[in-house]
């Protein structure tokens, strides 16, 4: 492999995040199956990273980073343009490998297959080792290549999804809001590595602007639409803080995204609201969600909803702003429909969620308890919620 090719391979390794440590249970399953299927004692996925060999997965030995020159896998990568795996039936009789430390320690045979990214660049190897000289049968070789193809899909897909998950998480608010008598915080727990739910909040000019959306679908496609919707809503922040009717701003956002949503055959349910932090006046638009709950200071739950359809359903849709007031001691929660999966009776969600909100001494406790529900119930959808608490003056003194 030339220096230019090696540089391209290193960039691919960096781009996939393969240098970063972390557990890879799906790869572990494949390396374990390789040992069973091929009757070999050791199997590994190996990444060559800046002169070192690292092991995202290994079975049958303790993976320790070693210089890449001390591996069979360097040759597997160098000869990756050759059809078929690299097979070494007896390393002690092969001038290329007989002086390797692993050979001196007892490894005699090796078979390795390069694993490639979506551009065809070799980024890792899938390999098996034995302490006795041996040659794979045709059936065993086919099984190895099938397992390597599986490992390649898992390695590339899982690392790309991990990166997408980190990027999506970075788009969420980085910290809760504490302003005078107001507390705001949220959580988003995707059902997959990434999801179509999103939430956002910020304070501009004494106005709290909060958005929570749920894109039809799951995975990367929904996450991309969610990120685009969040960006479009962020673009309305100055108008919202200036008091522009939310029905107008949401209609503008919906019209700007209509073509994209139609091509993606998707839509977005959304709650967008603004809170005047001085008066407690809440203005909101409900675009097909219906999952907005006001819990009064005495614990009484009040369902709030508008009459708008989701974004992306009809080209001439428009949305209407609704107003309500949060008094001291009142609490407001908005959430995605994945929360309904956590409830024994989704039809009576306002009672159950109202109890959660009323019983929680603060927002961190509320969100922690919600996350615990997720671990107890196998949620089928993303779980997202934002809570807004207005404290009473007595609690602030």
């Amino acid at each position: 492999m030339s220096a230019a090719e090696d540089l391209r391979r290193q960039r691919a390794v960096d781009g996939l995040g393969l240098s970063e440590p972390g557990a890879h249970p799906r790869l572990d399953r494949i390396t374990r199956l390789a040992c069973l299927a091929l009757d070999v004692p050791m199997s590994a996925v190996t990444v060559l990273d800046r002169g070192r060999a690292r092991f995202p997965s290994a079975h049958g030995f303790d993976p320790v980073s070693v210089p890449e020159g001390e591996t069979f896998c360097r040759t597997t990568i160098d000869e990756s343009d050759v059809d078929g795996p690299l097979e070494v039936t007896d390393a002690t009789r092969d001038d290329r490998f007989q002086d390797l430390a692993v050979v001196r320690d007892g490894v005699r045979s090796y078979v390795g297959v390069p694993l490639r990214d979506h551009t065809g660049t070799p980024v890792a190897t899938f390999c098996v080792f034995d302490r006795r000289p041996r040659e794979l049968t045709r059936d065993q070789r086919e099984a190895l290549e099938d397992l390597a193809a599986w490992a390649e899909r898992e390695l590339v897909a899982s690392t790309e999804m991990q990166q997408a998950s980190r990027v999506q998480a970075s788009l969420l608010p980085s910290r809760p809001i504490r302003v005078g008598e107001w507390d705001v915080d949220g959580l988003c727990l995707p059902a997959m590595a990434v999801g179509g739910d999103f939430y956002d909040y910020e304070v501009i000019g004494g106005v709290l602007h909060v958005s929570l959306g749920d894109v039809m679908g799951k995975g990367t496609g929904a996450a991309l639409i969610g990120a685009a919707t969040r960006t479009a809503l962020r673009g309305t922040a100055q108008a919202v803080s200036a008091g522009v009717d939310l029905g107008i701003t949401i209609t503008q956002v919906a019209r700007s995204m209509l073509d994209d949503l139609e091509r993606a055959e998707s839509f977005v349910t959304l709650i967008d609201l603004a809170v005047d932090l001085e008066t407690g006046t809440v203005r909101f638009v409900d675009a097909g969600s219906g999952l907005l709950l006001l819990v009064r200071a005495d614990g009484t739950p009040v369902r709030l909803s508008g009459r708008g359809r989701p974004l992306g359903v009809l080209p001439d849709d428009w949305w209407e702003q609704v107003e309500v007031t949060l008094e001291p001691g009142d609490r407001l929660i908005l959430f995605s429909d994945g929360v309904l999966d956590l409830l024994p009776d989704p039809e009576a969600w306002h009672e159950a969620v109202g109890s959660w909100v009323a019983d929680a001494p603060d927002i961190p406790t509320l969100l922690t308890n919600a996350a615990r529900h997720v671990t107890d119930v196998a949620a089928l959808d993303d779980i997202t919620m934002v809570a807004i608490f207005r404290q009473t003056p007595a609690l602030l003194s």
Side-chain angles (χ1 to χ4, degrees):
M1 178 173 286
S2 68
E5 290 173 327
D6 215 29
L7 178 59
R8 183 167 62 250
R9 181 196 57 76
Q10 182 63 57
R11 287 176 175 171
V13 168
D14 293 340
L16 287 173
L18 298 179
S19 302
E20 301 174 12
H24 294 270
R26 294 187 178 185
L27 289 177
D28 291 343
R29 181 183 182 189
I30 301 171
T31 52
R32 184 172 63 252
L33 285 174
C35 289
L36 293 173
L38 304 178
D39 189 26
V40 293
M42 294 169 284
S43 177
V45 173
T46 310
V47 173
L48 303 185
D49 176 34
R50 292 177 174 81
R52 306 287 295 182
R54 308 183 190 280
F55 302 91
S57 177
H59 186 76
F61 66 99
D62 293 328
V64 177
S65 172
V66 297
E68 65 176 36
E70 286 295 321
T71 67
F72 295 91
C73 297
R74 175 74 260 181
T75 304
T76 303
I77 294 291
D78 289 341
E79 299 181 3
S80 59
D81 56 342
V82 178
D83 290 338
L86 171 68
E87 294 191 66
V88 181
T89 57
D90 187 348
T92 62
R93 298 178 179 274
D94 192 315
D95 292 341
R96 296 173 297 174
F97 307 113
Q98 60 186 7
D99 293 328
L100 295 182
V102 292
V103 175
R104 294 196 300 271
D105 289 342
V107 171
R108 299 291 294 276
S109 58
Y110 165 93
V111 185
V113 180
L115 307 182
R116 304 175 188 274
D117 69 2
H118 63 281
T119 69
T121 302
V123 294
T125 64
F126 183 78
C127 45
V128 295
F129 313 85
D130 205 334
R131 296 188 179 279
R132 56 191 172 96
R134 63 174 295 177
E135 183 176 353
L136 297 183
T137 66
R138 185 178 64 179
D139 289 344
Q140 289 175 326
R141 191 175 296 109
E142 289 178 356
L144 175 68
E145 291 177 345
D146 288 343
L147 290 167
W150 182 12
E152 181 177 88
R153 290 192 298 272
E154 291 289 353
L155 182 71
V156 174
S158 65
T159 51
E160 287 181 340
M161 290 299 282
Q162 287 171 4
Q163 287 181 301
S165 178
R166 287 194 294 270
V167 170
Q168 186 176 47
S170 73
L171 297 178
L172 298 174
S174 60
R175 60 182 61 87
I177 288 176
R178 303 282 186 268
V179 179
E181 59 191 7
W182 297 91
D183 292 340
V184 186
D185 201 357
L187 66 76
C188 183
L189 303 173
M192 302 170 64
V194 293
D197 282 11
F198 67 91
Y199 73 89
D200 194 20
Y201 51 68
E202 60 181 336
V203 175
I204 299 179
V207 174
L208 168 68
H209 185 203
V210 179
S211 304
L212 187 149
D214 183 355
V215 180
M216 183 190 72
K218 299 180 178 66
T220 305
L224 290 172
I225 295 174
T229 307
R230 171 192 175 276
T231 300
L233 291 168
R234 277 255 165 169
T236 69
Q238 292 295 335
V240 170
S241 67
V244 174
D245 189 293
L246 293 180
I248 295 174
T249 60
I250 294 303
T251 299
Q252 290 176 338
V253 167
R255 300 279 168 81
S256 71
M257 296 188 62
L258 183 61
D259 289 344
D260 293 338
L261 291 171
E262 286 182 344
R263 285 194 297 269
E265 298 181 339
S266 186
F267 61 81
V268 182
T269 62
L270 174 72
I271 295 174
D272 191 64
L273 62 84
V275 184
D276 186 316
L277 298 182
E278 181 177 353
T279 66
T281 300
V282 180
R283 302 178 288 127
F284 71 90
V285 164
D286 180 356
S289 172
L291 300 176
L292 179 63
L293 188 70
L294 169 61
V295 180
R296 293 296 186 187
D298 63 1
T300 302
V302 181
R303 294 178 63 170
L304 304 176
S305 65
R307 294 181 294 276
R309 279 185 284 265
L311 279 58
V313 175
L314 295 177
D316 296 326
D317 268 343
W318 57 277
W319 287 265
E320 181 180 1
Q321 175 178 284
V322 181
E323 291 191 10
V324 69
T325 300
L326 255 67
E327 303 291 348
D330 288 350
R331 299 172 170 187
L332 189 65
I333 185 166
L334 50 158
F335 54 93
S336 64
D337 60 4
V339 172
L340 302 180
D341 293 336
L342 309 179
L343 306 177
D345 183 6
E347 294 296 326
W349 65 263
H350 61 288
E351 297 176 0
V353 175
S355 178
W356 292 358
V357 175
D359 293 344
D362 50 38
I363 293 181
T365 302
L366 171 65
L367 299 181
T368 299
N369 289 341
R372 286 173 178 166
H373 280 287
V374 176
T375 62
D376 295 336
V377 179
L380 303 177
D381 204 351
D382 304 333
I383 306 294
T384 304
M385 60 173 57
V386 176
I388 305 167
F389 284 17
R390 186 179 187 183
Q391 307 292 353
T392 60
L395 294 177
L396 297 173
S397 58

